[in-house]
Amino acid sequence: MSSTFGRLFRITTFGEPHGVAMGVVVDGCPARLELTPEDVQRQLDRRRPGQGSLTSARDEQDQVEILSGLDNGLTLGSPIAMMVRNGDQRPGEYAGTQDIPRPSHADFTTQEKFGIRPSSGGGRASARETWARVAGGAVAEKWLAREFGVEIVAWVDRVGEEGPADVDVLTVSRRQVDASEIRTSDPALAGPMAKAVQVAKQEKDSVGGVIACVCRGVPTGWGEPVFDKLEALLAKGMLSIPAAKGIEIGSGFSGTRMRGSAHNDPFVQKGQGLGTVTNHSGGIQGGISNGEPILFRVAFKPPATIGTAQETASYSGKETKLEARGRHDPCVVPRAVPIVEAMSALVLADLALIQRTQK
Amino acid sequence: MSSTFGRLFRITTFGEPHGVAMGVVVDGCPARLELTPEDVQRQLDRRRPGQGSLTSARDEQDQVEILSGLDNGLTLGSPIAMMVRNGDQRPGEYAGTQDIPRPSHADFTTQEKFGIRPSSGGGRASARETWARVAGGAVAEKWLAREFGVEIVAWVDRVGEEGPADVDVLTVSRRQVDASEIRTSDPALAGPMAKAVQVAKQEKDSVGGVIACVCRGVPTGWGEPVFDKLEALLAKGMLSIPAAKGIEIGSGFSGTRMRGSAHNDPFVQKGQGLGTVTNHSGGIQGGISNGEPILFRVAFKPPATIGTAQETASYSGKETKLEARGRHDPCVVPRAVPIVEAMSALVLADLALIQRTQK
Amino acid sequence: MSSTFGRLFRITTFGEPHGVAMGVVVDGCPARLELTPEDVQRQLDRRRPGQGSLTSARDEQDQVEILSGLDNGLTLGSPIAMMVRNGDQRPGEYAGTQDIPRPSHADFTTQEKFGIRPSSGGGRASARETWARVAGGAVAEKWLAREFGVEIVAWVDRVGEEGPADVDVLTVSRRQVDASEIRTSDPALAGPMAKAVQVAKQEKDSVGGVIACVCRGVPTGWGEPVFDKLEALLAKGMLSIPAAKGIEIGSGFSGTRMRGSAHNDPFVQKGQGLGTVTNHSGGIQGGISNGEPILFRVAFKPPATIGTAQETASYSGKETKLEARGRHDPCVVPRAVPIVEAMSALVLADLALIQRTQK
Amino acid sequence: MSSTFGRLFRITTFGEPHGVAMGVVVDGCPARLELTPEDVQRQLDRRRPGQGSLTSARDEQDQVEILSGLDNGLTLGSPIAMMVRNGDQRPGEYAGTQDIPRPSHADFTTQEKFGIRPSSGGGRASARETWARVAGGAVAEKWLAREFGVEIVAWVDRVGEEGPADVDVLTVSRRQVDASEIRTSDPALAGPMAKAVQVAKQEKDSVGGVIACVCRGVPTGWGEPVFDKLEALLAKGMLSIPAAKGIEIGSGFSGTRMRGSAHNDPFVQKGQGLGTVTNHSGGIQGGISNGEPILFRVAFKPPATIGTAQETASYSGKETKLEARGRHDPCVVPRAVPIVEAMSALVLADLALIQRTQK
């Protein structure tokens, strides 16, 4: 089940970055949804490397081809398969990594797990795999928007020490986020964040960061009470993204320093129903959405591939030096923004379908 | 699937705290494991409330009864069902909560989701549900210990502002953790932490905290490459615990402030294989265990039930005041220690079985 | 997953017949269903042995106890656990079977699979396990009846050479079925069928048979197009019943002798929609219900436990004779009627929930 | 989950026959298996239409392309995606079927389920979907053969009234089966069976049949005790094949006419372990393989598409006549032989992996 995510709205992904193709099968998407390649391509374009000075210069071939599941622009309720061929394979770039597991990469653990590893590149652990998530997430997002008016917006909250971003979670939009290449929506931070990335790049190093995300318009009642809590499934989805090292919902780690009397979100009438005065809960109580915006933050480590030489050991245990060549991102967070949105959409679409069974 | 956790080593839990019984069915535990009620009761006793001045005074009836799956003290490979009857039901305690959803509890969202809520208490969202997790986790833990020598130890890392605990992750033991009622293993912090809880209790308030956990002896190769990464499943398991609001693996959020050159864990020969010099990865690379100790931290919010009166609204939207009566914990982290261990054991046992399919 | 059936409407069963208890956890039943122990007990009573001269004389203790999931007689949407303690344990009855695997029983294969077997009786392979299925199925059936008006009726179609029963599938009722102890609804066959069983019993032998089943009132649209076809899930459910050896849907094996021109079911207007003139399809086309009655038949082998001495071999390969003592049914089909109904209800309830996701 | 089959060794299929492509993702195949496109193509060629006078004249483009999961001819443990583009689309052939649901096809039920249907052809219900099963099954089969020496052979047992085939289940081979175009391995029946198909074809009609299958070399211990019995999963797999209407394991329906004393399979020493003298059980006892050949038979109805005009009704309920044009098989069983083998291999591979968790 390694390559399947979701129960009712499910994606199954495939592809090694340096093999023939990457792809995704979206199963469980309800029928009669209008869907075009452009709906998917829009988010894929935001994920693509080579978008500016802050990301790597690879020109990934990521024009999506939809192979199945549509008829006259409408979904049929059958699996929607999408694919992209891998055009730009440069195995030479990975020369020297066959005998030396790259530190903090998946090379060593993949070898230990399977007794074999791809002859070049990162295999399924590569960031290229996220192409399939973003494609699948775009379908989920389209359905959530049409059916419930759900809006999902993620942004860069911090790069290294630059942050957190000052953002109005009720109004922040993708347009605002995309206004800066670094994809924060705090204009005052765009410059310092970009500079932190550029400095790391110049120093042949990398830098980590944090992405924040809001999901607006989620109705009450999504999420299951015990193990499949909304926050638990978001946590699984986010921590499955390469380089993610943590997640916090609502008040998160800082909330652990608060008293209950300050942390509790009192109820108040809002429209026809109840809302809360504050939102330390991040829109989720007892694993179930309460109608307030869903809020969370995801930690991304500094990319493991760096140009600086590293002292390490070969597979056979011999001390050696490793120096990465070729293209690599000094910071993943700008490109990870649409990936966080995609995983959010997949979690929400799945829980939305499950909640329909209660009607 | 709300009440099932795991794929091959699975638990299914049941029970409302104020109903007839709580229980768990453990399915997928391999045959021929020696198992006694004491193996399970040991961890249940650590979870039980009323253990000291820092927890609530309820005397939960939690003597486990094993209903199936054993023959002459050995598991049969069939489901192991365990149960405890709910002896100490005091619905009166919840008087007044029928018309008013408790702030930051699951009362409101449960009603919105199901169109019905238990007539008293928290239903499946209650902390009492964790009895079943701890019982199931104890079986997983026994198997992991016997089969692989895995050791899992959690401790209180911080209470409010008191922390983090200074702990040697290579040697910390449950005996050390249980030496203080607050369940930290840092002697210098036991006093301040306990005091923080007592002060909150006196002020009819509550306080949050952080639990840290180490899993030692996990072989290389556990965890799946894409969606079922070891850290993703740990994140799901931990964020499904009531009151949990965040998780970080290895360097976590603080690692996002580091440069790659400092964050990467260089390889070095250890014994017959490779180990890493540092462990910012928290024992996991690319979703797969690398043989180093697995390290993570879980954030717990201050409990929502407090004695102080709160301004809030009734289900019908009317402004009102709510004041909790009866017993409630001012801080969940001491009792959550065995719950974190249980969820860790369940995740690891499941992935251990999956990894067997590669042999 | 051996002991879980269903995806959204799921049961997980536990218990060895000669252990402490048998039980079932029903997860995924929608909230606000009226449910009483009597709803469940009614079908359990039909399954119970010792009901007449045709079944074994055991007086199973099978009064159901509902442990969770209900509040004031309504389901909460949480797991409904039900249990019965095993009162009548007579391990002596199984004396002599420890060294000799009973022919055509699961003794040998259980030992081969798990490296261990229960010290007495059939473990999970025992017919006693079906108690849990019938209890779970009764909940599914109640929900299907209230929500959609679905009616499920099974009957004995053949015993040995006596049959098939001449039954009007549009009107046959459980009352008619229960009018004879053998549970056929063809009065002309009740006598010959009963006699076939009695003769087998007198000769210390056993006899096989066939059960037919109709599900009326199933709306169009239940069942999934490819692997989770309605007939595929019915087949899985039925072939998981102990002693079941075959299933046929609609025209089944006899339909393979027909020409397409005779076998096809032409459409015709019925009420507001379309129906079919004939029903060789058994109410299912392409894996999806078409609104016509769902019809299928299940083959049950003659019970393996017989009083006659059998030449066989011990576990160590030594030639020996085995002669069963104690109580055993000479024919399972009368008692299997409610089990077939239960498995049908579980399959239909699951697919009904899945179909809700299309709305 | 409609388009996913299996738990650990899983396939997910996609594609409408008249869309862009058909495909399959095989997830869970262990690493380091030698696999070539030829391994897969061999079975695809046996499934392909247009192989002779008995099948339809379509020339399906079914050269498999492997998109992922391999490196230097070895599996990586990652998903193996395989695809074929749909070259030969003739929507004109389906003219007239848009207003009239074809009798005993999935047109009507698909429309009822999804509120939409493909604008031409049968969508996911088409026989073309089985391309993906055969491709996936070929991978499973390769692994089973290399790892355990398992051999799977299916053949046509009956066509209309011609049969059953007289076959030695211990020795029958695919070479023998393929010696006749009708794919029976009984030389005396090849002629009469072929004639039955040709006569039906000449009369613009169709004819049903039965396929038998043997799986040799399956070790003891595969299959789960309760719901995931080996026969239950085979039944699910087989009844998910288009046009399948029944399955019987071992003695099946005819066994229901036997006495237990004759039906039981006595044990006897075979080699180092136990075998059985007879094999009425079909190689499975209590849901678990016993080391004897696994035997079962699958019923296939006469194809619904016939050239003869049929009286039926349009979607709007109007009486009308329908006459199929274009290419269609008068009998599916010769081409269904590799499909039955594929589904058998998928079931066995999945259970083989699950059984590894007991070691």
Side-chain angles (χ1 to χ4, degrees), chain A residues 55-72:
Chain A
T55 54
S56 73
R58 278 168 296 184
D59 184 12
E60 285 190 18
Q61 309 285 336
D62 65 0
Q63 291 297 312
V64 65
E65 181 182 15
I66 302 183
L67 299 172
S68 67
L70 290 184
D71 199 12
N72 292 321

PDB file of all heavy atoms in Angstrom, chain A residues 55-72:
ATOM      1  N   THR A  55      15.122  28.226  -7.423  1.00  0.00           N
ATOM      2  CA  THR A  55      14.995  26.772  -7.540  1.00  0.00           C
ATOM      3  C   THR A  55      15.994  26.242  -8.555  1.00  0.00           C
ATOM      4  O   THR A  55      16.682  26.999  -9.230  1.00  0.00           O
ATOM      5  CB  THR A  55      13.561  26.382  -7.954  1.00  0.00           C
ATOM      6  OG1 THR A  55      13.242  27.100  -9.151  1.00  0.00           O
ATOM      7  CG2 THR A  55      12.549  26.743  -6.884  1.00  0.00           C
ATOM      8  N   SER A  56      16.039  24.960  -8.675  1.00  0.00           N
ATOM      9  CA  SER A  56      17.036  24.358  -9.561  1.00  0.00           C
ATOM     10  C   SER A  56      16.662  24.597 -11.014  1.00  0.00           C
ATOM     11  O   SER A  56      15.525  24.906 -11.338  1.00  0.00           O
ATOM     12  CB  SER A  56      17.149  22.861  -9.283  1.00  0.00           C
ATOM     13  OG  SER A  56      16.016  22.189  -9.784  1.00  0.00           O
ATOM     14  N   ALA A  57      17.610  24.421 -11.881  1.00  0.00           N
ATOM     15  CA  ALA A  57      17.433  24.829 -13.270  1.00  0.00           C
ATOM     16  C   ALA A  57      16.904  23.722 -14.166  1.00  0.00           C
ATOM     17  O   ALA A  57      16.854  23.860 -15.376  1.00  0.00           O
ATOM     18  CB  ALA A  57      18.769  25.318 -13.817  1.00  0.00           C
ATOM     19  N   ARG A  58      16.486  22.612 -13.578  1.00  0.00           N
ATOM     20  CA  ARG A  58      15.956  21.546 -14.417  1.00  0.00           C
ATOM     21  C   ARG A  58      14.678  21.993 -15.112  1.00  0.00           C
ATOM     22  O   ARG A  58      13.831  22.639 -14.518  1.00  0.00           O
ATOM     23  CB  ARG A  58      15.637  20.318 -13.569  1.00  0.00           C
ATOM     24  CG  ARG A  58      16.847  19.473 -13.280  1.00  0.00           C
ATOM     25  CD  ARG A  58      16.519  18.471 -12.223  1.00  0.00           C
ATOM     26  NE  ARG A  58      16.185  19.165 -10.962  1.00  0.00           N
ATOM     27  CZ  ARG A  58      15.936  18.541  -9.830  1.00  0.00           C
ATOM     28  NH1 ARG A  58      15.970  17.222  -9.795  1.00  0.00           N
ATOM     29  NH2 ARG A  58      15.677  19.208  -8.733  1.00  0.00           N
ATOM     30  N   ASP A  59      14.503  21.571 -16.338  1.00  0.00           N
ATOM     31  CA  ASP A  59      13.264  21.868 -17.033  1.00  0.00           C
ATOM     32  C   ASP A  59      12.480  20.566 -17.155  1.00  0.00           C
ATOM     33  O   ASP A  59      12.499  19.897 -18.157  1.00  0.00           O
ATOM     34  CB  ASP A  59      13.558  22.461 -18.413  1.00  0.00           C
ATOM     35  CG  ASP A  59      12.265  22.873 -19.098  1.00  0.00           C
ATOM     36  OD1 ASP A  59      11.218  22.906 -18.427  1.00  0.00           O
ATOM     37  OD2 ASP A  59      12.319  23.146 -20.309  1.00  0.00           O
ATOM     38  N   GLU A  60      11.821  20.219 -16.068  1.00  0.00           N
ATOM     39  CA  GLU A  60      11.084  18.957 -16.070  1.00  0.00           C
ATOM     40  C   GLU A  60       9.986  18.990 -17.132  1.00  0.00           C
ATOM     41  O   GLU A  60       9.292  19.972 -17.299  1.00  0.00           O
ATOM     42  CB  GLU A  60      10.441  18.698 -14.707  1.00  0.00           C
ATOM     43  CG  GLU A  60      11.436  18.254 -13.659  1.00  0.00           C
ATOM     44  CD  GLU A  60      10.724  17.772 -12.389  1.00  0.00           C
ATOM     45  OE1 GLU A  60       9.530  17.473 -12.460  1.00  0.00           O
ATOM     46  OE2 GLU A  60      11.402  17.711 -11.354  1.00  0.00           O
ATOM     47  N   GLN A  61       9.851  17.879 -17.803  1.00  0.00           N
ATOM     48  CA  GLN A  61       8.784  17.725 -18.779  1.00  0.00           C
ATOM     49  C   GLN A  61       7.543  17.368 -18.012  1.00  0.00           C
ATOM     50  O   GLN A  61       7.291  16.214 -17.773  1.00  0.00           O
ATOM     51  CB  GLN A  61       9.119  16.594 -19.747  1.00  0.00           C
ATOM     52  CG  GLN A  61      10.489  16.700 -20.379  1.00  0.00           C
ATOM     53  CD  GLN A  61      10.544  17.767 -21.443  1.00  0.00           C
ATOM     54  OE1 GLN A  61       9.510  18.113 -22.012  1.00  0.00           O
ATOM     55  NE2 GLN A  61      11.706  18.322 -21.694  1.00  0.00           N
ATOM     56  N   ASP A  62       6.754  18.322 -17.644  1.00  0.00           N
ATOM     57  CA  ASP A  62       5.614  17.878 -16.849  1.00  0.00           C
ATOM     58  C   ASP A  62       4.255  18.287 -17.402  1.00  0.00           C
ATOM     59  O   ASP A  62       3.354  18.589 -16.648  1.00  0.00           O
ATOM     60  CB  ASP A  62       5.778  18.228 -15.373  1.00  0.00           C
ATOM     61  CG  ASP A  62       5.795  19.701 -15.130  1.00  0.00           C
ATOM     62  OD1 ASP A  62       5.682  20.458 -16.087  1.00  0.00           O
ATOM     63  OD2 ASP A  62       5.873  20.073 -13.949  1.00  0.00           O
ATOM     64  N   GLN A  63       4.132  18.243 -18.708  1.00  0.00           N
ATOM     65  CA  GLN A  63       2.802  18.421 -19.292  1.00  0.00           C
ATOM     66  C   GLN A  63       1.992  17.158 -19.078  1.00  0.00           C
ATOM     67  O   GLN A  63       2.333  16.092 -19.572  1.00  0.00           O
ATOM     68  CB  GLN A  63       2.915  18.722 -20.792  1.00  0.00           C
ATOM     69  CG  GLN A  63       3.522  20.090 -21.086  1.00  0.00           C
ATOM     70  CD  GLN A  63       2.661  21.235 -20.565  1.00  0.00           C
ATOM     71  OE1 GLN A  63       1.454  21.256 -20.785  1.00  0.00           O
ATOM     72  NE2 GLN A  63       3.278  22.156 -19.845  1.00  0.00           N
ATOM     73  N   VAL A  64       0.897  17.291 -18.350  1.00  0.00           N
ATOM     74  CA  VAL A  64       0.111  16.126 -17.991  1.00  0.00           C
ATOM     75  C   VAL A  64      -0.652  15.580 -19.196  1.00  0.00           C
ATOM     76  O   VAL A  64      -1.145  16.339 -20.029  1.00  0.00           O
ATOM     77  CB  VAL A  64      -0.879  16.481 -16.859  1.00  0.00           C
ATOM     78  CG1 VAL A  64      -1.909  17.499 -17.312  1.00  0.00           C
ATOM     79  CG2 VAL A  64      -1.570  15.237 -16.329  1.00  0.00           C
ATOM     80  N   GLU A  65      -0.730  14.263 -19.271  1.00  0.00           N
ATOM     81  CA  GLU A  65      -1.607  13.604 -20.226  1.00  0.00           C
ATOM     82  C   GLU A  65      -2.640  12.796 -19.435  1.00  0.00           C
ATOM     83  O   GLU A  65      -2.271  11.985 -18.590  1.00  0.00           O
ATOM     84  CB  GLU A  65      -0.804  12.663 -21.137  1.00  0.00           C
ATOM     85  CG  GLU A  65      -1.692  11.976 -22.175  1.00  0.00           C
ATOM     86  CD  GLU A  65      -0.935  10.993 -23.065  1.00  0.00           C
ATOM     87  OE1 GLU A  65       0.195  10.632 -22.712  1.00  0.00           O
ATOM     88  OE2 GLU A  65      -1.492  10.588 -24.106  1.00  0.00           O
ATOM     89  N   ILE A  66      -3.910  13.050 -19.709  1.00  0.00           N
ATOM     90  CA  ILE A  66      -4.966  12.306 -19.011  1.00  0.00           C
ATOM     91  C   ILE A  66      -5.321  11.095 -19.858  1.00  0.00           C
ATOM     92  O   ILE A  66      -5.709  11.228 -21.017  1.00  0.00           O
ATOM     93  CB  ILE A  66      -6.204  13.191 -18.749  1.00  0.00           C
ATOM     94  CG1 ILE A  66      -5.793  14.426 -17.924  1.00  0.00           C
ATOM     95  CG2 ILE A  66      -7.293  12.398 -18.039  1.00  0.00           C
ATOM     96  CD1 ILE A  66      -6.943  15.341 -17.529  1.00  0.00           C
ATOM     97  N   LEU A  67      -5.170   9.912 -19.259  1.00  0.00           N
ATOM     98  CA  LEU A  67      -5.292   8.677 -20.029  1.00  0.00           C
ATOM     99  C   LEU A  67      -6.664   8.031 -19.956  1.00  0.00           C
ATOM    100  O   LEU A  67      -7.011   7.204 -20.799  1.00  0.00           O
ATOM    101  CB  LEU A  67      -4.263   7.651 -19.532  1.00  0.00           C
ATOM    102  CG  LEU A  67      -2.792   8.036 -19.636  1.00  0.00           C
ATOM    103  CD1 LEU A  67      -1.932   6.992 -18.932  1.00  0.00           C
ATOM    104  CD2 LEU A  67      -2.361   8.183 -21.085  1.00  0.00           C
ATOM    105  N   SER A  68      -7.435   8.371 -18.935  1.00  0.00           N
ATOM    106  CA  SER A  68      -8.690   7.637 -18.724  1.00  0.00           C
ATOM    107  C   SER A  68      -9.599   8.406 -17.780  1.00  0.00           C
ATOM    108  O   SER A  68      -9.186   9.389 -17.162  1.00  0.00           O
ATOM    109  CB  SER A  68      -8.395   6.268 -18.110  1.00  0.00           C
ATOM    110  OG  SER A  68      -7.879   6.429 -16.805  1.00  0.00           O
ATOM    111  N   GLY A  69     -10.838   7.935 -17.689  1.00  0.00           N
ATOM    112  CA  GLY A  69     -11.751   8.447 -16.669  1.00  0.00           C
ATOM    113  C   GLY A  69     -12.602   9.625 -17.077  1.00  0.00           C
ATOM    114  O   GLY A  69     -13.448  10.063 -16.298  1.00  0.00           O
ATOM    115  N   LEU A  70     -12.363  10.149 -18.284  1.00  0.00           N
ATOM    116  CA  LEU A  70     -13.110  11.325 -18.739  1.00  0.00           C
ATOM    117  C   LEU A  70     -13.859  10.991 -20.023  1.00  0.00           C
ATOM    118  O   LEU A  70     -13.407  10.187 -20.833  1.00  0.00           O
ATOM    119  CB  LEU A  70     -12.163  12.486 -19.034  1.00  0.00           C
ATOM    120  CG  LEU A  70     -11.469  13.155 -17.860  1.00  0.00           C
ATOM    121  CD1 LEU A  70     -10.656  14.343 -18.373  1.00  0.00           C
ATOM    122  CD2 LEU A  70     -12.477  13.631 -16.827  1.00  0.00           C
ATOM    123  N   ASP A  71     -14.985  11.646 -20.196  1.00  0.00           N
ATOM    124  CA  ASP A  71     -15.726  11.539 -21.450  1.00  0.00           C
ATOM    125  C   ASP A  71     -16.364  12.899 -21.693  1.00  0.00           C
ATOM    126  O   ASP A  71     -17.120  13.391 -20.848  1.00  0.00           O
ATOM    127  CB  ASP A  71     -16.796  10.440 -21.340  1.00  0.00           C
ATOM    128  CG  ASP A  71     -17.273   9.974 -22.709  1.00  0.00           C
ATOM    129  OD1 ASP A  71     -16.637  10.319 -23.721  1.00  0.00           O
ATOM    130  OD2 ASP A  71     -18.286   9.269 -22.753  1.00  0.00           O
ATOM    131  N   ASN A  72     -16.015  13.499 -22.784  1.00  0.00           N
ATOM    132  CA  ASN A  72     -16.532  14.834 -23.091  1.00  0.00           C
ATOM    133  C   ASN A  72     -16.322  15.821 -21.947  1.00  0.00           C
ATOM    134  O   ASN A  72     -17.202  16.623 -21.618  1.00  0.00           O
ATOM    135  CB  ASN A  72     -18.029  14.760 -23.437  1.00  0.00           C
ATOM    136  CG  ASN A  72     -18.245  14.035 -24.748  1.00  0.00           C
ATOM    137  OD1 ASN A  72     -17.470  14.216 -25.690  1.00  0.00           O
ATOM    138  ND2 ASN A  72     -19.291  13.212 -24.805  1.00  0.00           N
TER     139      ASN A  72
END
